[in-house]
Amino acid sequence: TDIFSILPFDLLCLNFEFSSIYRLNRIVRVESFFEFSDRLENVMAKAYIWRVARTTGYLLFMLHLTACAYFVASEHQGIATTTWVYDGNGTAYLRCYYFAVRSLINIGGLPEPTTTFEITFQMSNFFIGVFVFSSLIGQMRDVIGAATAGQTYFRASMDGCVAYMNTNRIPKMVQNRVKTWYNYTWTAQGMLDESELLDKMPLVMRTAIAVDINLATFQKIDLFKGCDQQMLVDMLLRLKSIIYLPGDFVVKKGDIGKEMYIIKSGAVQVVGGPDNSIVFVTLKAGCVFGEISLLQSAKDGGNRRTANVKAHGFANLFVLEKKDLFDILIHYPESQKVLARKGRKLTKAKAAPAKTDAKKEEKPKGAFLFETKPPTPKLLKVFGRLKKN
């Protein structure tokens, strides 16, 4: 097909009168345009821009064909022979294109056709114009609707949530935080729930995306070093993304630890003190916390959180739940032994400083016998002086 389309039939013009029919073989490659269009949509970040441009191109091309047909019809009738045909003045293409625009869009103000041929041609123009423009307008509506479908879904979700909060008389402060979460989540990731998109993909695609985003971070976690690589991949597929607003507490001291957290973006702070005003450390993107809680037993409160962690600004965290980890470890007994061993070491290392502090505070036996006695109250001193007198 490609070879036939480039055969130079134009050379026939050397022996015969020029005619555009000699170039008709070029049209057999029209499928290449649609192939190009499909591939371009696949690589563009905002494909709707190309769709709008393509639909506009269809419109302009239809007007071009109508202008050409009007010029051929004028030549057939005879240039300037009637008031309807092209009168031969000015630029032929521009005048014919102007006629095509007024004719196809049904603007009106056209010269009245006088012959049967002119009336038939004009009626065909009107019918084609109604059909073509209604199709193009419908296509343009679909393109614009597809381009704004995400935004429409976001507004509908947020409006529904606001209506629910108003119905239940939720305090304005809480409503404002919910609205802030909606706006930031949509701005940051273009969707409210990433899992809705990923669930539609086959497992191979989900795995490739998860590995590309998080595997390098997981491999740096001391707790998971030495574990089976496939186990880490299975863990990546169980991660859930959660966005926290500034000041939100991710974990609180004393809570039961059921998850570990990986900071995808933003930062969190480990805080303490009477009003949580003391910042012990700031963790940024790529850091992990709460991993020991995954392996500690709930017996005797062993997996309770030992510190408060709150979001410092907007923070996007990946969460891995203990239940998901245990479901995975069933299939990887060797990795389960490695994690159990490392979990014991981390727990002992964490408990050692606490024991040292407790020993420092512990007083030696019998020391209370040699403590400095508290001073005698002033009132008793006064009574003692009165007795002596």
Side-chain angles (χ1 to χ4, degrees), residues 19 78 122 135-136 159 181 229 242 257 264 269 271 324 370:
S19 175
Q122 191 62 57
S135 301
L136 292 178
D159 291 345
W181 179 86
Q229 285 289 106
I242 299 179
K264 179 183 178 183
Q269 292 179 332
V271 297
D324 292 333
F370 305 98

Side-chain angles (χ1 to χ4, degrees), residues 84 99 103-104 106 110-113 115-131:
W84 182 83
F99 172 87
S103 177
L104 281 186
N106 296 321
L110 296 170
E112 289 292 331
T115 65
T116 303
F117 175 80
E118 292 174 356
I119 293 173
T120 304
F121 184 92
Q122 191 62 57
M123 288 178 61
S124 301
N125 258 1
F126 287 147
F127 284 126
I128 293 174
V130 170
F131 173 75

Side-chain angles (χ1 to χ4, degrees), residues 40-91:
L40 187 61
E41 282 188 27
N42 291 334
V43 300
M44 287 185 68
K46 297 181 178 179
Y48 67 87
I49 295 177
W50 165 245
R51 295 186 189 121
V52 171
R54 182 182 61 193
T55 304
T56 304
Y58 290 159
L59 170 62
L60 297 177
F61 184 65
M62 289 302 301
L63 293 172
H64 164 77
L65 294 180
T66 304
C68 294
Y70 174 66
F71 182 78
V72 172
S74 298
E75 278 196 327
H76 174 74
Q77 289 287 95
I79 301 296
T81 54
T82 66
T83 57
W84 182 83
V85 299
Y86 169 56
D87 58 6
N89 297 325
T91 305

